[in-house]
């Protein structure tokens, strides 16, 4: 299904790719620069750790030649949604930036939880400075997000709307944390259903992505139909994002993701590919996977065995199909909403990019 | 100095003690009940962990016969300050409760950082459920604090005042986190000065106590003199609190604090008694302390040696003097502010209690 639609609409994907490149080049630097402005000038050690993590400096505080940092996806989604709903893009920035800061706060704490020593091919904060300091650095970033959000008033947004935006973000953080909890709880559970998985990712990843969209829209309009439509769009898009993340966690190219093929299997993660494989393979194969996952470390032979079972079960195709289905649901949600043509194309392009992304 | 004033004013301390008992019995149950209302009814595992930590249930989620929990000092200070500044005590509650929730959030993360297995004689969250879940539980409590604070609007407080209160709390969290960072950074440093120590505790402990006072006052008045006076009062009171905490960390009675005599020495903490001992003893004794602190574990003999040096150097008296000095500075700060007589007595009593507390 995925490949078919991909080849049928190849002209569209090509146009869409250019559009995505333009969107990222237009907003990424702006977001990055505004993010840097949120850090106080006093060069405390906490700032050094955070600036390192955000890719602006090395671990000694020296600026990096080629800043490494995330895609700033959440602020960009917020800005695009605001634009699509007819809002003022300049005004939305102090509400868009905290989304990226909170996302990074959660990554810093995730790395501690998962004992991950590398992210974007660089040592994580805890790996360099130890758990206690990494924990504090994460909490500090969370506060910088709050302080940034408090600047929303200065852009002329009415105070009651500021409080609503604040409340959306708070609620999203709560759901994100619940999702992280479920993720940890499900570790090692071999009988996790697709339904439970989708509920978990709707919280862990979906909540902040949906909040990004909702915040952008709420700063643009009070129209209930638009708010509802974009909220649905956000929910489906959040699922798309995590599904492709899970695909990349197994079949992503190391040159693009910085992780070896099968990384999530090596880490015995209970992600979508494992769930879909288990529900589409023989009992014998299920047992093989279960046995491998019960081992202390997973050998190359084990990894290849699971990858073979996944190939037989067409797991990758099933995952891609699911991503495409959710992408279509996302786009259907906003089909009947009046959106300027260019904005709609931007949003559609980003949704397609998230469905097909390689990193 | 401390003992002298204590005996001179014994009639006053007695009256003051009764007053403090009345204040705690008046507000503690109210705060505890309102805190419990902030937890959603769905009995998630995160809630179980948090309710356990807050002393309302055991680790399986069963209500405890005799709920163990903190003094709820911060909300009570907030309420008393609001009352003293002429505000509506009922209105201040949704802003007072988050102070206690954030205090407990910081304790949950502190326990992870310090690898403390016990608090109030009960296993800590990480000790029962592991670091990753404890980290998430702490973050969750932080969010419940935010959600509670958002309810301030519903009490009729104008939105711009809600945002100011929110901003005070955010800033206090930032300072608290910076203070925690400094505390970790100073660990093992033998040449820490009293000045650096006082700066550190003004952030680590003082920020949230000062915020408690400021939030109470700001919800009562716009009078700049009162705001300034109470802000100073809060800063001095925060120092008093941490100084007595450090005193109890060494000379506290196990039956009251749940910790053995010399607990902070056994943990090689660089608290006020060590700092004051080092600046009031011979080079030889400084070397002895330094040698003991460089050991992997501290024996009973080591502990007694340091306690003897502290006795020779009158360290406990010096600490108590400093607490008394700051208590007097705190009370002087609000001397010229018009405060109803009963409210002033309440505030003075709490300040004296914090100077002399045994737990």
């Amino acid at each position: 299904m995925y490949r078919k639609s991909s080849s049928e609409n190849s002209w569209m994907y090509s146009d869409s790719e250019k559009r995505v490149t333009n969107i990222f080049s237009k907003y990424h630097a702006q977001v990055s620069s505004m993010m840097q402005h949120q850090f106080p000038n006093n060069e405390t050690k906490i700032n050094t750790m955070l600036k390192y993590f955000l890719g602006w400096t090395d671990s000694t505080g020296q600026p990096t030649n080629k800043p490494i940092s995330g895609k700033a996806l959440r602020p960009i989604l917020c800005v695009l949604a605001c634009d699509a709903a007819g809002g003022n893009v300049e005004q939305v920035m102090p509400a868009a930036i905290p989304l990226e800061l909170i996302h990074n706060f959660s990554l810093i704490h995730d790395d501690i939880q998962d004992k991950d020593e590398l992210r974007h091919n660089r040592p994580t904060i805890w790996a360099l400075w130890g758990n206690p300091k990494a924990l504090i650095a994460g909490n500090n970033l969370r506060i910088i997000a709050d302080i940034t959000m408090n600047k929303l008033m200065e852009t002329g947004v009415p105070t009651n709307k500021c409080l609503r935006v604040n409340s959306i973000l708070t609620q999203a953080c709560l759901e994100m944390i619940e999702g992280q909890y479920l993720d940890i709880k499900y570790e090692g559970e071999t009988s996790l259903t697709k339904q439970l998985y989708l509920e978990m990712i709707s919280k862990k990843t979906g909540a902040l992505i949906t909040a990004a969209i909702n915040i952008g829209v709420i700063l643009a309009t009070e129209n209930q139909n638009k708010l509802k439509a974009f909220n649905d769009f956000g929910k489906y898009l959040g699922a798309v994002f995590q599904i492709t993340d899970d695909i990349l966690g197994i079949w992503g190219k190391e040159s693009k993701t910085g992780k070896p093929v099968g990384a999530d299997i090596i880490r015995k993660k209970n992600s979508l590919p494992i769930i879909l494989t288990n529900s589409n393979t023989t009992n014998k194969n299920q047992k093989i996977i279960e046995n491998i996952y019960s081992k202390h470390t997973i050998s190359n032979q084990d990894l290849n065995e699971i990858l073979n079972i996944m190939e037989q079960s067409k797991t990758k195709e099933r995952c891609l199909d699911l991503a495409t289905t959710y992408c279509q649901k996302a786009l259907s949600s906003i089909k009947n909403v009046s959106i300027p043509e260019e904005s709609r194309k931007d949003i559609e392009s980003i949704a397609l990019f998230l469905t097909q992304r390689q990193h």
Side-chain angles (χ1 to χ4, degrees), chain A:
Chain A
M1 181 182 174
Y2 166 78
R3 280 181 186 160
K4 194 173 148 214
S5 56
S6 167
S7 85
E8 270 182 3
N9 301 317
S10 60
W11 61 270
M12 184 175 149
Y13 286 115
S14 165
D15 173 61
S16 171
E17 272 172 29
K18 274 185 219 149
R19 197 170 275 273
V20 167
T21 309
N22 287 341
I23 291 167
F24 279 109
S25 64
K26 183 174 172 190
Y27 290 118
H28 189 275
Q30 199 180 338
V31 167
S32 183
S33 155
M34 270 204 72
M35 270 171 73
Q36 296 193 43
H37 273 96
Q38 306 312 316
F39 287 80
N41 273 330
N42 56 333
E43 282 309 319
T44 63
K45 187 60 183 271
I46 305 184
N47 270 348
T48 304
M49 292 191 282
L50 291 175
K51 288 180 178 177
Y52 163 78
F53 187 80
L54 293 165
W56 305 325
T57 59
D58 65 17
S59 61
T60 67
Q62 294 306 306
T64 42
N65 288 330
K66 198 187 157 203
I68 315 117
S69 67
K71 289 183 283 292
L73 177 69
R74 290 152 192 81
I76 289 175
L77 284 175
C78 183
V79 170
L80 290 181
C82 180
D83 192 37
N88 173 355
V89 168
E90 295 304 314
Q91 213 176 33
V92 85
M93 272 295 172
I97 301 296
L99 295 157
E100 189 66 11
L101 298 173
I102 283 180
H103 170 57
N104 279 282
F105 141 76
S106 80
L107 296 181
I108 294 171
H109 281 191
D110 269 355
D111 289 339
I112 301 174
Q113 286 164 32
D114 298 343
K115 297 192 172 71
D116 276 335
E117 292 179 19
L118 289 176
R119 180 174 291 277
H120 298 311
N121 288 316
R122 305 162 86 218
T124 49
I125 294 193
W126 78 265
L128 283 175
W129 291 287
N131 274 355
K133 287 185 184 171
L135 204 159
I136 287 175
N139 287 339
N140 193 279
L141 196 53
R142 171 81 173 74
I143 302 289
I144 297 174
D146 287 344
I147 291 173
T148 308
M149 188 57 107
N150 288 341
K151 293 180 186 162
L152 189 61
M153 273 196 303
E154 294 165 21
T155 65
V157 174
T159 42
N160 65 339
K161 218 160 203 178
C162 292
L163 286 163
R164 271 170 71 194
V165 166
N166 215 17
S167 174
I168 291 173
L169 189 62
T170 304
Q171 199 59 38
C173 285
L174 185 64
E175 285 190 41
M176 179 179 79
I177 289 165
E178 284 173 358
Q180 288 167 339
Y181 178 82
L182 291 176
D183 195 21
I184 292 180
K185 186 183 152 195
Y186 293 156
E187 258 174 32
E189 273 191 29
T190 47
S191 57
L192 191 63
T193 63
K194 190 172 122 186
Q195 188 55 35
L196 282 175
Y197 165 85
L198 289 171
E199 277 172 29
M200 183 271 283
I201 66 167
S202 79
K203 294 188 168 186
K204 189 184 119 183
T205 313
L208 204 54
I209 288 178
T210 310
I213 307 280
N214 284 339
I215 288 172
V217 177
I218 218 165
L219 287 173
T221 181
E222 291 285 349
N223 180 310
Q224 290 304 310
N225 286 342
K226 276 193 186 176
L227 289 168
K228 167 81 176 66
F230 274 102
N231 181 59
D232 291 345
F233 172 75
K235 282 183 188 297
Y236 289 123
L237 204 66
V240 169
F241 182 85
Q242 187 59 47
I243 292 166
T244 52
D245 214 54
D246 283 7
I247 294 170
L248 294 172
I250 292 185
W251 298 281
K253 285 187 183 143
E254 189 164 2
S255 60
K256 299 223 172 189
T257 64
K259 290 176 182 174
V261 169
D264 278 356
I265 297 174
I266 296 166
R267 294 172 52 197
K268 294 191 276 188
K269 285 197 74 167
N270 215 342
S271 62
L272 183 67
I274 287 288
I275 294 162
L276 292 189
T277 305
N278 273 326
S279 54
N280 290 288
T281 192
T282 59
N283 283 347
K284 193 185 149 200
N285 281 341
Q286 286 173 20
K287 277 271 176 241
I288 292 172
I289 294 172
E290 200 181 327
N291 281 339
I292 292 175
Y293 261 50
S294 68
K295 292 183 181 180
H296 185 260
T297 41
I298 289 184
S299 67
N300 270 339
Q301 198 187 333
D302 293 333
L303 172 60
N304 286 328
E305 193 155 17
I306 292 186
L307 287 174
N308 279 336
I309 294 172
M310 286 185 168
E311 197 165 340
Q312 288 161 30
S313 319
K314 298 193 190 306
T315 302
K316 189 176 178 185
E317 288 79 356
R318 289 178 199 279
C319 292
L320 287 167
D321 275 357
L322 198 62
T324 304
T325 303
Y326 277 107
C327 175
Q328 286 163 349
K329 286 188 182 190
L331 296 179
S332 295
S333 307
I334 49 169
K335 204 174 56 186
N336 296 322
V337 176
S338 124
I339 298 174
E341 198 185 328
E342 285 299 304
S343 292
R344 187 182 294 277
K345 280 185 183 168
D346 280 352
I347 284 196
E348 284 178 352
S349 303
I350 287 282
L352 289 172
F353 163 74
L354 291 181
T355 315
Q356 307 183 293
R357 67 199 176 97
Q358 303 296 315
H359 56 92

